[in-house]
Each structure stands twice: as structure tokens, then as C-alpha cells.
Amino acid sequence: MKDTNRVMQSYGRCCASPDFFDDFYASFLASSPAVREKFVKTDMAAQKHLLRAGILNLVLFARGMPDTKLQALGRSHSRAHLDIRPELYDLWAAALLKTIGQHDRQLEKQDLEAWNAVLNKGIDVIKSHY
Ligand code: HEM
């Protein structure tokens, strides 16, 4: 199966798991004070909805959609705006992969490898705007 199809199916199972986004942010916020300080004023309920679409954008880009949405994310997260340092994306991806492992009950090793490839491809675009 193609990487992006594996990821789409896995993401569907994650989104159907009620606490997926809560658990992702619990894990991401726990990973570093540098992450927590970025979200002190954030409405986390709204943020979870935004992230749901944000992850979908990473998957759609890996499936061949133009990178328009990721360019916009790159600009909003850049030094001049949210100022998200590139190394924080490693924490983001690690928290996401861990949460996928907890919520996708049918996850296979190849799915995790597919997620890794798909996330890295999009994260590279976002980081290139820092
Ligand atoms: C806002 C997605 C990585 C911190 C947002 C938004 C989206 C999003 C869709 C709202 C729209 C916007 O501001 O452009 C993503 C995706 C990421 C990612 C897909 C990974 C590829 C990160 C990382 C951090 C971060 C690593 C580090 C702490 C923030 C903050 C906001 C934000 C602080 C604004 C929250 C607020 O409105 O108070 N992100 N993000 N993001 N993101 Fe990210």
C-alpha cells in the first residue's frame, strides 16, 4: 500500500478515537517548557480543531496537493510571527507519533514509517520559511 494511503487510514482511526487530540497536546506540552510557553494564551479547544486540519494538510501535500497551505503555515510559524524554532518540530513529530501509537489499535510498523515520511516532507516546507 502507498505511504499516503496507509497514513490516511491510520489518521482516520486516530480521529475516531475520542481523546486523540487531547493526548497529543498533553504529550507535546509535557515535552519542553519552550513548547508550553508558546501556548500560554492559547484557547486549546480551538487549537485542537486547527491541528486536525493542519495534519490533514501535511497528508494532502504528501499526496501531491500544492504546498499553498503549508507555505501559509510556514509564514505564520516563522521567526517574524509565532517564532517556532525548527528544533521544536522534532518534539511535535515525536509527540504525534507517540500519540498515534497509543490510539491507532491497528497500527503496523510500516504505518509508522509511512507517517514519518509524510510528516517530514511537509515539516521541511514549513521549516524552510523560518
Ligand atoms: C498555530 C498547525 C507545529 C505552535 C497553528 C495553527 C495551525 C498549526 C493550523 C493555526 C493557524 C496558524 O496560526 O497558522 C501546525 C502544524 C505543525 C505545527 C501542522 C507541524 C507541522 C507547531 C510547533 C509549535 C507550534 C512545533 C511549537 C510550539 C503554535 C502556536 C500557534 C500555532 C503557538 C498559535 C496558537 C494561538 O493562536 O495562540 N499551528 N503547527 N506549532 N502553532 Fe502550530
Side-chain angles (χ1 to χ4, degrees), residues 72-129:
L73 271 178
R75 285 192 295 274
S76 72
H77 287 61
S78 70
R79 195 183 274 111
H81 296 97
L82 291 167
D83 190 17
I84 305 303
R85 284 186 283 108
E87 61 269 25
L88 295 181
Y89 292 89
D90 294 343
L91 300 177
W92 187 93
L96 187 64
L97 293 171
K98 179 181 151 203
T99 314
I100 291 165
Q102 290 165 341
H103 286 264
D104 179 357
R105 302 283 163 180
Q106 296 170 46
L107 190 78
E108 294 171 1
K109 189 167 166 274
Q110 281 163 294
D111 297 326
L112 213 48
E113 286 161 5
W115 266 111
N116 219 350
V118 164
L119 296 178
N120 285 335
K121 192 168 180 223
I123 287 174
D124 282 348
V125 175
I126 298 175
K127 283 203 280 198
S128 73
H129 290 270

Side-chain angles (χ1 to χ4, degrees), residues 5 9 13 17 25 28 30 39 50 53 55 63 72-73 77 81 87 94 104 106-107 119:
N5 287 347
Q9 292 190 11
R13 295 189 293 268
S17 179
Y25 273 110
F28 185 40
F39 288 108
L50 291 168
I55 294 172
R63 275 167 71 117
L73 271 178
H77 287 61
H81 296 97
E87 61 269 25
D104 179 357
Q106 296 170 46
L107 190 78
L119 296 178

Side-chain angles (χ1 to χ4, degrees), residues 42-84:
T42 301
D43 170 352
M44 291 313 283
Q47 187 65 24
K48 284 166 197 165
H49 285 290
L50 291 168
L51 184 70
R52 191 184 178 104
I55 294 172
L56 189 60
N57 284 323
L58 292 175
V59 181
L60 293 176
F61 170 63
R63 275 167 71 117
M65 287 263 292
D67 63 1
T68 324
K69 291 268 169 57
L70 298 188
Q71 303 255 15
L73 271 178
R75 285 192 295 274
S76 72
H77 287 61
S78 70
R79 195 183 274 111
H81 296 97
L82 291 167
D83 190 17
I84 305 303

